């Protein structure tokens, strides 16, 4: 299979100017390659990271095909211990949160629509900073996701992150202490809301 670069991954590459040897944390890895937001970062830019995928078959396939590990439940994990044991920097380059919000393929709700928000709250936001954060809220799919989207915005805004891209299904943030406004100003035109 050929990797189709995702918009999020291209955003990270562009904003960080093709940075080599970066660090990522990926909640909701999906497939190891197709539709994945860190594949190219690992394979072409030599990034170190950790991914999470709750579905065993995808996690196993990921671990067979990737260098960086894929763990199981992103909501039941000791991030601080893992980061310390694996020498993650205090300023991690990319945090991707895309935990299935509880939808079956037919689009009907099945489970907890707030899982993605729980993922954000599981990650150490006060001990570590993230240069770029992408958060898939799928507010276009279910009315409860609008509240989840808004709470996520309040949390990240209160922590000093800048919302750069907001669409009907995801938000992209930057840490303005690390990435100056001229680096991301051009992305404001992408907004759909």
């Amino acid at each position: 299979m050929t990797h189709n670069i995702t918009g999020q991954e291209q955003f990270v590459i562009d904003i960080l100017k093709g940075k080599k040897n970066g660090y990522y944390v990926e909640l909701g890895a999906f497939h190891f390659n197709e539709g994945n937001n860190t594949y190219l970062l690992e394979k072409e830019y030599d990034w170190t990271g950790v991914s999470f995928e709750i579905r065993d078959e995808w996690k196993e396939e990921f671990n067979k095909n990737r260098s960086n590990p894929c763990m199981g439940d992103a909501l039941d994990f000791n991030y601080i211990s893992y980061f310390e044991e694996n020498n993650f920097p205090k300023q991690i380059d990319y945090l991707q949160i895309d935990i299935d919000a509880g939808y079956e393929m037919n689009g009907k709700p099945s489970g907890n629509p707030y899982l993605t928000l729980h993922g954000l709250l599981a990650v150490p936001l006060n001990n570590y900073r993230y240069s770029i954060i992408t958060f898939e809220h799928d507010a276009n799919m279910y009315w409860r996701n609008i509240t989840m989207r808004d709470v996520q915005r309040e949390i990240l805004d209160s922590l000093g992150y800048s919302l750069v891209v907001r669409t009907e299904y995801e938000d992209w943030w930057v840490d303005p202490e690390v990435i100056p406004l001229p680096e991301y100003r051009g992305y404001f035109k992408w907004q759909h809301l």
Side-chain angles (χ1 to χ4, degrees):
M1 286 187 212
T2 304
H3 177 69
N4 296 324
I5 192 166
T6 62
Q8 297 97 324
E9 197 171 23
Q10 189 63 57
F11 179 72
V12 172
I13 291 167
D14 291 349
I15 293 293
L16 296 179
K17 300 180 190 282
K19 179 178 182 173
K20 296 280 192 173
N21 302 307
Y23 283 80
Y24 70 80
V25 178
E26 177 180 40
L27 281 63
F30 187 62
H31 189 267
F32 78 92
N33 177 334
E34 293 297 317
N36 181 274
N37 294 318
T38 61
Y39 179 80
L40 195 61
L41 297 173
E42 177 185 306
K43 295 295 185 184
E44 299 294 325
Y45 294 89
D46 301 316
W47 281 37
T48 299
V50 61
S51 298
F52 295 85
E53 177 53 56
I54 197 79
R55 294 180 181 135
D56 287 335
E57 64 274 13
W58 290 350
K59 180 177 70 172
E60 290 170 15
E61 184 178 19
F62 187 106
N63 286 325
K64 287 178 187 173
N65 291 285
R66 298 274 297 265
S67 300
N68 294 317
C70 185
M71 309 295 193
D73 189 351
L75 303 181
D76 185 24
F77 188 78
N78 189 332
Y79 290 92
I80 293 175
S81 290
Y82 184 87
F83 292 167
E84 288 173 356
E85 290 167 9
N86 291 280
N87 300 312
F88 274 59
K90 286 293 190 175
Q91 182 77 40
I92 295 171
D93 298 293
Y94 180 38
L95 170 62
Q96 187 255 200
I97 303 176
D98 181 6
I99 299 175
D100 186 347
Y103 291 94
E104 295 177 5
M105 294 304 287
N106 64 8
K108 293 183 180 176
S110 64
N112 187 343
Y114 299 106
L115 284 179
T116 305
L117 183 59
H118 293 174
L120 176 66
L121 298 175
V123 174
L125 296 172
N126 291 320
N127 306 79
Y128 290 83
R129 295 288 293 176
Y130 306 88
S131 300
I132 297 173
I133 300 172
T134 59
F135 184 95
E136 186 169 325
H137 49 68
D138 291 327
N140 59 319
M141 295 177 68
Y142 189 50
W143 68 269
R144 283 192 175 128
N145 290 358
I146 295 169
T147 301
M148 177 183 57
R149 176 201 64 200
D150 294 346
V151 170
Q152 165 259 164
R153 287 178 178 174
E154 290 290 336
I155 291 167
L156 293 176
D157 183 63
S158 75
L159 291 170
Y161 291 97
S162 294
L163 180 56
V164 177
V165 174
R166 55 186 175 149
T167 71
E168 60 189 5
Y169 53 90
E170 64 190 12
D171 290 344
W172 300 356
W173 299 80
V174 299
D175 183 347
E177 296 296 319
V178 175
I179 302 169
L181 179 61
E183 299 297 324
Y184 61 87
R185 179 178 301 167
Y187 285 91
F188 287 137
K189 65 183 177 194
W190 284 20
Q191 298 189 22
H192 299 281
L193 295 177

